[in-house]
Amino acid sequence: MRNKKRACEELGILSEEYSLSASTTQEELMSLIETLNQKEDIHGILVQLPLPSHLDEESVINAINPKKDVDAFHPFNVGKIMIGNYDFLPCTPAGIMELIAEANIDITGKECVVVGRSNIVGKPMGMLLLHQNGTVTITHSKTRNLYEITKKADILVVAIGRANMITGDMIKPGAVVIDVGMNRLADKKLAGDVDFESAKDVAGYITPVPGGVGPMTIATLMKNVVKAATL
Ligand code: NAP
């Protein structure tokens, strides 16, 4: 949140933060979202997930006006992403697509493996790679023989939430490895889902943690806010 607010300041975008207490009720949160939906000088609404367990995340997301849904989590925007005709790109996957494009990597026909199937990262990531003609496999906690699947990937996107789980021996030599994971270790350091040390010599390209996918997520969010202001 701090980095998102800082990015807004740098770009001259007004940002308002509502730091609610953990005991906030569903009604209070829904009422705040409705107020922000109505505010004409607010173009984007972002609810930082996860919410405390007593709150119903789905109905909170559904309450956001889709035109202000700069995270692209509302079912209306998720559906548009599926079709490939979107107003808002999902921030983390879109940031990753930009990294791949910047490195001049052609996705067409490539074996793309996404580890993790969350609504926020894994599923929309798979969809964006598919739109760019990748051959996409999405894996999850029930996937058998993960090693064999990741080992075939030309482009491997990892979004699990488990520190250093993907090791160098699970990576095809020369593969593009995108590490979405952000895991806080006991010593407070940040670690990705990919074991950078063993992966870096095998991969052709690899994103570091921190400093890889995270800043791209924020950049896409800023783009979405600007887009929302024009809708
Ligand atoms: P999530 O909602 O917890 O989803 C994790 C996914 O990983 C699930 O689909 C789960 O499978 C799968 N998984 C768990 N264990 C697995 C295993 N052993 N083998 C294969 N798949 C396994 O997490 P998320 O929101 O996608 O986030 C993932 C990570 O990315 C987290 O570390 C998060 O902090 C980070 N993140 C970073 C950014 C950024 O901007 N850098 C943005 C978003 C998230 P099931 O579905 O079967 O449970």
Side-chain angles (χ1 to χ4, degrees):
M1 283 309 299
R2 193 178 57 238
N3 291 343
K4 288 170 186 171
K5 284 173 68 179
R6 192 181 297 145
C8 284
E9 274 164 30
E10 279 171 18
L11 296 174
I13 296 172
L14 165 83
S15 77
E16 293 179 358
E17 182 181 0
Y18 297 84
S19 271
L20 307 179
S21 86
S23 59
T24 298
T25 64
Q26 184 84 18
E27 291 68 32
E28 285 166 339
L29 182 52
M30 297 294 256
S31 154
L32 173 60
I33 288 172
E34 194 41 40
T35 304
L36 296 173
N37 278 341
Q38 301 300 333
K39 264 185 113 176
E40 283 185 12
D41 61 342
I42 295 290
H43 296 103
I45 302 171
L46 180 156
V47 178
Q48 188 65 44
L49 303 178
L51 295 176
S53 57
H54 69 279
L55 296 173
D56 176 9
E57 225 163 75
E58 199 178 329
S59 40
V60 169
I61 290 169
N62 288 354
I64 298 171
N65 177 347
K67 290 190 168 166
K68 297 189 176 188
D69 171 38
V70 285
D71 260 336
F73 291 165
H74 190 285
F76 178 80
N77 289 319
V78 172
K80 292 191 86 158
I81 291 160
M82 180 105 170
I83 294 163
N85 161 29
Y86 20 69
D87 295 321
F88 300 122
L89 291 161
C91 296
T92 301
I96 292 170
M97 294 304 278
E98 199 149 326
L99 281 175
I100 295 173
E102 272 295 311
N104 286 321
I105 293 155
D106 185 10
I107 297 168
T108 299
K110 296 272 168 63
E111 290 286 344
C112 303
V113 173
V114 181
V115 188
R117 60 173 164 184
S118 69
N119 291 334
I120 296 173
V121 186
K123 285 182 202 161
M125 186 72 240
M127 207 46 69
L128 296 194
L129 290 164
L130 184 64
H131 291 324
Q132 296 281 321
N133 302 315
T135 302
V136 179
T137 305
I138 301 180
T139 69
H140 45 80
S141 66
K142 309 286 185 294
T143 296
R144 290 190 209 139
N145 305 326
L146 184 65
Y147 171 93
E148 282 166 28
I149 300 170
T150 58
K151 193 85 188 166
K152 283 189 191 144
D154 300 309
I155 298 174
L156 178 64
V157 181
V158 187
I160 315 171
R162 290 195 184 186
N164 303 322
M165 194 184 131
I166 302 294
T167 45
D169 58 330
M170 299 171 79
I171 295 168
K172 179 177 174 178
V176 176
V177 178
I178 311 277
D179 189 355
V180 183
M182 289 202 302
N183 308 289
R184 199 57 77 178
L185 301 177
D187 63 4
K188 304 269 183 240
K189 280 194 181 143
L190 208 55
D193 290 345
V194 177
D195 176 41
F196 191 86
E197 275 314 303
S198 64
K200 71 180 190 327
D201 297 329
V202 188
Y205 296 81
I206 184 166
T207 60
V209 177
V213 172
M216 295 305 296
T217 298
I218 293 175
T220 311
L221 178 68
M222 296 301 115
K223 275 192 186 176
N224 284 352
V225 174
V226 173
K227 178 84 187 277
T230 65
L231 287 178

